[in-house]
Amino acid sequence: MDGRILGKRQNIFLLLVLLGRISGGKTLSLNGLPATGNVTENSSAYVLVHTFSVTLSPSPSEVASGYPLIINSNPLTKAFRIDPGATHTYQVVTTGDPVLDYETMPNSFDLQIYVSDTAGASDLQILTVQITDVNEPPVFRGNLANQTVMIYILEGNRTPPGVIYQIDASDPEQSQLTYSCTPVSQPFMVSQTGTISSTKEFDFERDPHLYLLNITVTDRLGLSTTRAVIVNIINTNDETPYFTTKERVYRIPEENSPGTVVANITAKDPDDDEGIISRLVYSISPPNTHFAINPFTGVIYVAMRIDRDAAPLRLHPNISLVIRVEDSPSGGQTNETEITVIIEDLNDNPPECSLYNFRLEVSETATTGTLFLDLRDHCQDIDVEPPNNEFNFTGLSGLGSNKFTLNPSGSGKIVLIGGLDFENPDNLAVEEYTLTAVVQDIAQPYYTNNIYIYIKIIPVNEFFPGFNNPSYVFNVSEITRAGSSIGKVSATDKDLPFTGITYSIVAGGGTLSYTNIFWIDPNEGNLEIIATLDYETTQKYILTVQASDAEKLATVSVTINVLEVNDEKPVCSANTYSLAIPVDLAVGTNIEGFRIECVDRDSSPRSFRYFINSGNVNNHFTFSPSAGSNISQLILASRFDYDSGLDRIWDYRLRVYITDDNLLSSSNRATALIETGTVTLSIKVIPNPTTTITTTPAITLLIRTENIYSESAWYVPFLISVGSMLLLGLLGYLSFLLAKYIRTYCPPKPKTNKRALKTTPEKKKVKKEEVWEMTRINTVFDGEATDPVTGKMYEYNSKSGARRWKDTKEPVQPGIKDPVAQEMTKINTVFNGEARDPVTGKMYEYNSKSGARRWKDTKEPVQPGIKDPVAQVISSAPANSSEGKDRMGTPSKQEAGPNGRELAAKNNMATKPSEGKAETSSQDSLKLQKLKDGAGSRGSSSPGRSPVPSPKIYPLLQPKPALKNAV
């Protein structure tokens, strides 16, 4: 940028000189230029550099305003300017901006001075200015550059003699510097590298507290600079504190709560007498987990739970604490003392056992007097000193206390005193006994713990398992899928209790390709296939199946016959082939002598049938023979007709199917398993040389295709219409089945009267006649049982509990007392729920599993002998009633009068739940439906009358007849 500006100014100058010469010639000149001037560095503003004058021509012209001037400098600078002097005399002086520096700036400047007069004459001369170097004093850097430095050192050996400060100074002329310190008598010295060092250790009490040092730095020509450094001596605490507490041994019991005071340690610092205010700080060194100390008062207190019975206090109950006192805030002087805290034992632990739940296994053949467990080997009291650590065992109770005892008493030794044999009819055949023993301290506060002993009786395996059949034979098709079940083997074991039998295949069932073809369910004995069967490879498998009861084994032979099925496809030697025939080939000719030869592993050659599935346009090709042989030839069936346009295809691709169903009748083909092989033939028709295939180069044919009805295709819309109707019929039938299923298994809830209530003037209420109808739901009886009293067989529903006699199909009437129910009331029943009877308002308790109920206040069971009004109505209604009576036994809607309807309504509203019976699901219960009178039969009901709430109907434990329409 500066070069471009200089170039532009030179061009302007040359133009001005040329104009001056044209106007006046050499009538104007600068006297005293060119010349050289000198000026020292660091000169201030207005320092004279050079003086020159301007000589004008005799004409009356004058120096133009603003001239002479410095139009350029090399290097470029603003450090100089021209000031006018006497007449036509001028001075070049410094501007002071920037200040000239010999070390950092150029040492020479060329100033181009230009002058012009009013007549247009001009002149240009150069003044060379030389910068003269001047020696400058050294300068401090860092903290000493502009301030006094304060240095603090500690008395005594904490600050040994040595370097305390490093001076940072420099000389602009880069000359060597020397350092000095005054006064010389001070205990400090300065090295020639500028480091200030102390020569002694200072004592605050004997030496001055402050030293003033004058640091001088001088260059080689004698110029110097001085700065002050102040050194302060810091006093330290050098007296050791001492303890005033004399006691050194303390005793405390264990288990003291945190915060309990143990001791109060005090100390004193002699430095306090010398005027130094110090604060003593107490600590335990090293820190102890059980105790802590107040750092300002010296009070020792319990920090955490102290357990005398735990290590290491169990063996070493004495705790030694080293108390340390330290000056504050300097922390320079410390002192230590040791105290001992003795922890005393308490009876604070109950007897503890490694196990509180013992599980023993005892053989059923164990003899009386056998010792099974000594509890004392597993229990201990961790208290250290007696009698705090002594205990005994008391009381053996629970199921089995008559079979086992503590012998001798309190010893903890459990001994068998009764027989355990399962086969003994005097035993209850209990597989596990539960005993409870108590371990207790003999010293106060007599801590106790319960111990539970579970003794499992192990039966002895005495019998071998036995299969139900001496051998098993199963037949399975070769196309049965893997994972399918083919049969089941079963075995029994006479040992009691029954522990289960595990089945496994120990031999047979493998081939060269598979190690195992079959798998048996180890728990159920179901045999399954886990690999593919092939009749052509193996027709029979003989397995050895083993039954095990974990100790004893039994085996049985299982024969599996593989049944043959047509599952192999015909395979032809020419699977894909390309042929070429002339267009005029004679009909009946074997095309290029081509024939296919097929084989089938599970079908005879006479079972093959050949037909062309696709690609045989205009049926030009056929196979001969078309069936009954494994070899067939491709024959031309009809000639080609390209001239009339009947044939347009020159390349045929035939898809040939070979099936193995030739020996089957047409009726059997629909159900039999048929396999199909495929052959693909590519046939190219070669035209005669005289046949002309016209082509038009560079012409594009646009073919437009339209769907136009053809009379020959009349069957297409007919089939579409028939198919649509069949589809609609199928959808309608499926919808009917779905609606029937929903109505059967998901009946709708009874509709409530949602008519809005109207506020009308009060009128006389008219009794509305209503008829209630009971609808029977068909009940599925899915189980049978024998009545333990009568010995008769009855059927029951496992969900609703409904029952009926098996021989007569008559329901077990609720009025008849059930012997089974009477016997069940004798068993202790846990009533885990409560409810309120909606009719009587009384509270009753019930068992959620068995359905048993009893009144809460009297604890009397709800007797099944109490007849239920609803049940009486149902049981008295005939199964096929069509004689004007509804299923409640009341007159039908056509015959019932007002009194009949009111009576029916009252009976239904007074219906009580069948006592002693559990409620059933909505599918198995009797549903009650309210039928209202039609408008106009016996008068309309009063407006605004509230609907009558439907009474609750409790289902009965009796079978329901088939569902029939209500009257």
Side-chain angles (χ1 to χ4, degrees):
M1 178 64 73
D2 295 340
R4 291 196 298 269
I5 296 174
L6 180 61
K8 291 181 180 180
R9 291 183 177 179
Q10 289 177 349
N11 293 336
I12 296 172
F13 167 72
L14 294 176
L15 178 60
L16 293 175
V17 172
L18 179 59
L19 293 176
R21 289 180 179 179
I22 295 174
S23 61
K26 296 183 178 180
T27 59
L28 179 66
S29 64
L30 294 169
N31 296 328
L33 294 175
T36 300
N38 296 314
V39 64
T40 61
E41 65 173 330
N42 300 323
S43 295
S44 60
Y46 308 110
V47 175
L48 178 63
V49 178
H50 184 71
T51 302
F52 66 91
S53 62
V54 177
T55 302
L56 300 172
S57 63
S59 62
S61 60
E62 295 293 337
V63 176
S65 176
Y67 292 94
L69 57 82
I70 300 173
I71 64 172
N72 194 14
S73 66
N74 184 22
L76 188 64
T77 182
K78 295 181 179 181
F80 307 97
R81 73 179 183 184
I82 299 175
D83 289 343
T87 304
H88 298 154
T89 301
Y90 300 91
Q91 296 177 347
V92 178
V93 297
T94 59
T95 62
D97 183 20
V99 178
L100 299 175
D101 189 358
Y102 184 86
E103 286 77 22
T104 60
M105 297 176 64
N107 305 135
S108 176
F109 295 91
D110 292 332
L111 308 179
Q112 296 179 359
I113 300 175
Y114 175 73
V115 66
S116 175
D117 60 7
T118 56
S122 63
D123 192 10
L124 175 67
Q125 296 297 332
I126 295 177
L127 173 63
T128 300
V129 180
Q130 299 289 342
I131 308 301
T132 304
D133 187 19
V134 177
N135 185 28
E136 298 171 281
V139 294
F140 285 95
R141 296 184 298 184
N143 294 332
L144 280 174
N146 51 15
Q147 64 181 354
T148 299
V149 173
M150 304 289 290
I151 300 176
Y152 297 89
I153 60 176
L154 299 174
E155 69 169 330
N157 56 7
R158 295 190 180 183
T159 307
V163 176
I164 63 173
Y165 190 75
Q166 175 66 51
I167 301 172
D168 188 4
S170 65
D171 184 66
E173 287 74 32
Q174 304 298 324
S175 66
Q176 185 175 359
L177 302 177
T178 59
Y179 300 87
S180 62
C181 175
T182 58
V184 180
S185 61
Q186 301 292 354
F188 300 94
M189 60 178 295
V190 179
S191 69
Q192 294 305 310
T193 59
T195 58
I196 302 176
S197 302
S198 61
T199 60
K200 57 173 287 188
E201 290 183 2
F202 296 93
D203 190 340
F204 185 83
E205 287 74 23
R206 293 189 296 269
D207 295 332
H209 299 168
L210 181 146
Y211 294 89
L212 176 61
L213 305 179
N214 293 316
I215 306 300
T216 302
V217 57
T218 307
D219 65 5
R220 60 183 177 83
L221 297 180
L223 293 179
S224 64
T225 304
T226 301
R227 290 287 186 271
V229 176
I230 299 176
V231 180
N232 293 281
I233 307 302
I234 306 301
N235 188 18
T236 61
N237 184 12
D238 55 353
E239 293 293 334
T240 303
Y242 60 93
F243 292 92
T244 59
T245 302
K246 303 303 181 182
E247 187 176 359
R248 294 292 182 267
V249 178
Y250 301 87
R251 291 178 176 272
I252 62 170
E254 66 173 335
E255 301 295 340
N256 270 328
S257 60
T260 303
V261 175
V262 178
N264 187 9
I265 306 299
T266 58
K268 188 174 182 180
D269 188 3
D271 287 330
D272 292 344
D273 299 334
E274 298 177 5
I276 298 178
I277 299 176
S278 64
R279 182 184 296 272
L280 298 181
V281 178
Y282 299 89
S283 61
I284 299 176
S285 179
N288 190 277
T289 58
H290 298 98
F291 300 97
I293 189 171
N294 189 308
F296 304 112
T297 63
V299 173
I300 301 175
Y301 56 90
V302 177
M304 63 175 293
R305 174 178 177 264
I306 301 177
D307 189 1
R308 170 71 168 82
D309 311 310
L313 299 179
R314 185 175 185 86
L315 300 178
H316 305 284
N318 301 338
I319 300 177
S320 296
L321 303 178
V322 176
I323 309 303
R324 179 187 179 98
V325 62
E326 185 177 25
D327 284 341
S328 177
S330 62
Q333 301 296 328
T334 62
N335 198 355
E336 294 180 350
T337 186
E338 183 177 0
I339 66 172
T340 301
V341 180
I342 300 176
I343 310 301
E344 297 178 346
D345 183 42
L346 296 176
N347 184 18
D348 59 335
N349 293 285
E352 294 182 351
C353 302
S354 59
L355 291 174
Y356 292 97
N357 294 277
F358 291 87
R359 295 189 178 273
L360 307 178
E361 292 184 353
V362 179
S363 172
E364 64 174 327
T365 59
T367 60
T368 57
T370 303
L371 174 65
F372 295 111
L373 178 64
D374 190 351
L375 296 177
R376 192 169 292 275
D377 294 340
H378 302 275
C379 298
Q380 64 175 351
D381 193 334
I382 63 174
D383 288 319
V384 179
E385 301 172 356
N388 297 333
N389 58 0
E390 297 177 353
F391 58 92
N392 58 17
F393 297 88
T394 61
L396 190 65
S397 60
L399 179 63
S401 58
N402 60 335
K403 300 287 185 181
F404 304 88
T405 187
L406 292 173
N407 189 14
S409 178
S411 65
K413 296 181 179 181
I414 298 178
V415 178
L416 178 66
I417 60 174
L420 302 175
D421 190 9
F422 282 109
E423 287 71 29
N424 187 350
D426 296 334
N427 294 331
L428 296 177
V430 177
E431 295 184 4
E432 185 173 277
Y433 294 93
T434 303
L435 303 175
T436 302
V438 179
V439 57
Q440 181 178 2
D441 266 335
I442 63 174
Q444 291 184 351
Y446 307 111
Y447 290 113
T448 62
N449 267 324
N450 290 335
I451 302 175
Y452 302 94
I453 302 101
Y454 303 92
I455 302 177
K456 184 178 181 180
I457 310 304
I458 305 302
V460 178
N461 191 353
E462 301 172 308
F463 301 95
F464 284 87
F467 284 92
N468 296 343
N469 296 327
S471 63
Y472 294 86
V473 178
F474 303 107
N475 297 322
V476 58
S477 172
E478 67 173 328
I479 62 172
T480 302
R481 294 183 178 180
S484 301
S485 176
I486 61 174
K488 180 179 181 180
V489 299
S490 59
T492 57
D493 191 355
K494 297 180 180 179
D495 288 314
L496 293 178
F498 180 71
T499 58
I501 295 177
T502 302
Y503 301 90
S504 61
I505 300 175
V506 296
T511 63
L512 296 177
S513 301
Y514 298 94
T515 305
N516 295 312
I517 300 294
F518 305 93
W519 174 83
I520 189 169
D521 188 330
N523 299 319
E524 302 297 331
N526 291 320
L527 277 168
E528 295 181 6
I529 302 173
I530 61 174
T532 304
L533 300 176
D534 189 3
Y535 177 83
E536 287 73 22
T537 303
T538 306
Q539 292 80 34
K540 178 185 294 186
Y541 296 89
I542 298 178
L543 313 179
T544 299
V545 176
Q546 174 181 283
S548 171
D549 60 359
E551 293 183 10
K552 300 184 183 311
L553 308 175
T555 59
V556 69
S557 176
V558 178
T559 301
I560 300 175
N561 297 317
V562 181
L563 305 180
E564 183 181 13
V565 178
N566 182 21
D567 62 338
E568 300 287 342
K569 294 182 179 180
V571 179
C572 302
S573 58
N575 189 27
T576 302
Y577 205 85
S578 298
L579 302 171
I581 61 173
V583 70
D584 56 353
L585 185 67
V587 175
T589 303
N590 180 203
I591 298 175
E592 286 193 355
F594 175 80
R595 70 175 188 176
I596 56 177
E597 183 174 357
C598 304
V599 294
D600 192 340
R601 296 177 60 189
D602 57 3
S603 300
S604 66
R606 295 193 310 109
S607 64
F608 294 152
R609 185 167 59 90
Y610 307 85
F611 63 96
I612 301 174
N613 182 63
S614 62
N616 192 10
V617 180
N618 293 333
N619 299 322
H620 289 297
F621 308 94
T622 187
F623 278 88
S624 179
S626 61
S629 175
N630 66 327
I631 300 175
S632 183
Q633 298 178 344
L634 180 62
I635 305 298
L636 182 65
S638 61
R639 60 181 297 276
F640 299 98
D641 188 2
Y642 292 94
D643 297 334
S644 64
L646 179 62
D647 292 321
R648 297 182 180 181
I649 299 175
W650 295 89
D651 295 323
Y652 291 83
R653 185 174 180 83
L654 307 183
R655 184 79 169 176
V656 182
Y657 283 0
I658 302 94
T659 61
D660 54 3
D661 60 346
N662 184 52
L663 300 179
L664 299 176
S665 63
S666 58
S667 60
N668 292 335
R669 290 177 183 174
T671 58
L673 182 62
I674 301 173
E675 298 292 336
T676 303
T678 59
V679 173
T680 302
L681 300 178
S682 298
I683 301 176
K684 182 177 183 63
V685 180
I686 301 175
N688 291 329
T690 57
T691 304
T692 302
I693 301 176
T694 60
T695 58
T696 305
I699 296 177
T700 301
L701 297 178
L702 180 61
I703 301 175
R704 179 179 179 184
T705 303
E706 295 182 357
N707 292 327
I708 301 175
Y709 176 75
S710 175
E711 293 181 355
S712 61
W714 60 268
Y715 57 92
V716 174
F718 174 78
L719 292 178
I720 293 175
S721 300
V722 173
S724 300
M725 289 188 292
L726 291 176
L727 180 60
L728 290 175
L730 179 60
L731 292 176
Y733 180 70
L734 292 177
S735 300
F736 170 76
L737 293 179
L738 179 60
K740 183 178 179 181
Y741 177 86
I742 293 175
R743 186 171 182 84
T744 303
Y745 295 95
C746 303
K749 295 182 178 179
K751 295 183 178 179
T752 58
N753 188 359
K754 297 183 179 180
R755 184 178 57 187
L757 298 178
K758 298 180 181 180
T759 302
T760 57
E762 184 176 359
K763 296 182 181 180
K764 183 178 180 181
K765 295 184 179 179
V766 180
K767 292 185 178 180
K768 184 177 180 180
E769 299 176 351
E770 298 176 348
V771 175
W772 299 84
E773 181 182 25
M774 298 294 289
T775 303
R776 294 180 182 270
I777 304 298
N778 202 19
T779 303
V780 178
F781 297 90
D782 53 359
E784 294 181 0
T786 302
D787 183 4
V789 178
T790 63
K792 295 172 62 177
M793 293 293 294
Y794 64 90
E795 300 172 340
Y796 64 90
N797 182 284
S798 58
K799 292 184 178 180
S800 65
R803 293 178 295 173
R804 68 178 181 186
W805 299 115
K806 184 176 181 182
D807 53 352
T808 63
K809 305 300 182 182
E810 291 294 328
V812 179
Q813 297 299 335
I816 301 175
K817 295 185 178 181
D818 191 348
V820 178
Q822 291 177 339
E823 289 295 323
M824 289 179 63
T825 58
K826 298 178 182 180
I827 301 175
N828 291 331
T829 303
V830 178
F831 296 91
N832 53 5
E834 295 182 0
R836 184 179 298 276
D837 182 18
V839 179
T840 63
K842 296 173 61 178
M843 294 296 293
Y844 64 89
E845 299 173 341
Y846 63 90
N847 181 283
S848 59
K849 293 185 177 180
S850 65
R853 294 182 294 173
R854 69 179 181 184
W855 299 115
K856 184 177 181 180
D857 51 354
T858 63
K859 304 300 181 181
E860 292 294 327
V862 180
Q863 297 296 336
I866 299 175
K867 296 185 178 180
D868 190 342
V870 178
Q872 288 179 331
V873 173
I874 298 173
S875 60
S876 61
N880 299 318
S881 178
S882 59
E883 299 177 0
K885 301 278 186 176
D886 60 12
R887 300 188 183 275
M888 297 275 308
T890 60
S892 65
K893 188 173 183 180
Q894 292 81 0
E895 298 178 1
N899 297 332
R901 294 188 183 90
E902 293 178 1
L903 179 60
K906 292 179 179 179
N907 289 337
N908 287 299
M909 293 300 292
T911 300
K912 297 182 179 179
S914 179
E915 299 172 348
K917 303 295 188 292
E919 293 186 11
T920 64
S921 62
S922 59
Q923 287 80 2
D924 298 326
S925 65
L926 296 176
K927 296 189 175 180
L928 187 62
Q929 183 179 5
K930 178 168 65 176
L931 303 179
K932 295 184 178 181
D933 291 338
S937 61
R938 290 169 181 83
S940 59
S941 61
S942 174
R945 180 181 177 183
S946 301
V948 179
S950 300
K952 293 186 178 180
I953 299 301
Y954 290 79
L956 306 175
L957 295 177
Q958 67 179 32
K960 282 68 176 183
L963 178 64
K964 296 184 179 180
N965 295 331
V967 177

